[in-house]
Amino acid sequence: VGLTGQNYPAFEAYISSSPTISTATNTVIAYDAENFDTDSAYDTSTYKFTPQTAGKYFVYAKARINSGTDSDDNEIFLFKNTTAFARIAYRHEYYDSPLIAGITTLNGSTDFVLVKIYHAFGSNQTLNQAYFGAYRIGA
């Protein structure tokens, strides 16, 4: 017996270029292209995942600041609507590529998730090798 549709909706998006991230500001990461999107729930222009199926979702993201310079005070956040539900603070060391993950409940109509990044390099930076995804894990 096989299970089908157990982890839907699901998506994975990535950045297709190298967006600029302002220093000392929480910036939404512009994941503007998709590897897959089972239910057309991810918007590549607003960078939000808004599934129309209520449930608990596993959400993950990765973002690499394109710099070989070390820097303290860097963070990546997973947001449900306007509130962060997961946060990772890290010291950037020579092209670090941190991964963040969390679980949240989405109502299936208006709740959305997105990713923000913060860095304190002192000048604008670019991102590369970044992806963002989620899938339903239960009711």
Side-chain angles (χ1 to χ4, degrees), residues 6 28 34 38 40 48 50-52 75 84-85 92 96 102 109 115 119 127 130 132:
Q6 296 300 306
V28 174
E34 296 175 319
T38 63
S40 300
K48 296 176 182 178
T50 311
Q52 297 303 299
E75 299 174 273
F85 68 91
H92 178 86
D96 272 351
S109 57
V115 184
H119 73 83
L127 293 179
F132 169 35

Side-chain angles (χ1 to χ4, degrees), residues 107-139:
N107 66 14
S109 57
T110 58
D111 285 342
F112 64 87
V113 291
L114 56 75
V115 184
K116 292 186 180 183
I117 190 167
Y118 174 92
H119 73 83
F121 275 83
S123 62
N124 294 347
Q125 299 292 312
T126 59
L127 293 179
N128 65 9
Q129 297 182 7
Y131 57 83
F132 169 35
Y135 55 90
R136 186 171 175 267
I137 59 173

Side-chain angles (χ1 to χ4, degrees), residues 20-61:
T20 299
I21 305 301
S22 299
T23 191
T25 216
N26 283 340
T27 304
V28 174
I29 299 178
Y31 298 97
D32 62 347
E34 296 175 319
N35 286 322
F36 64 89
D37 186 354
T38 63
D39 292 57
S40 300
Y42 182 73
D43 188 326
T44 58
S45 63
T46 64
Y47 320 117
K48 296 176 182 178
F49 174 60
T50 311
Q52 297 303 299
T53 303
K56 292 193 183 319
Y57 285 80
F58 178 78
V59 183
Y60 60 93

Side-chain angles (χ1 to χ4, degrees), residues 86-102:
R87 170 186 168 264
I88 184 171
Y90 67 100
R91 174 177 164 73
H92 178 86
E93 294 183 10
Y94 196 75
Y95 297 101
D96 272 351
S97 193
L99 175 69
I100 186 171

Side-chain angles (χ1 to χ4, degrees), residues 3 59 73-74 77 80 124:
L3 296 176
V59 183
D73 197 19
N74 304 285
F77 306 88
K80 173 183 171 180
N124 294 347

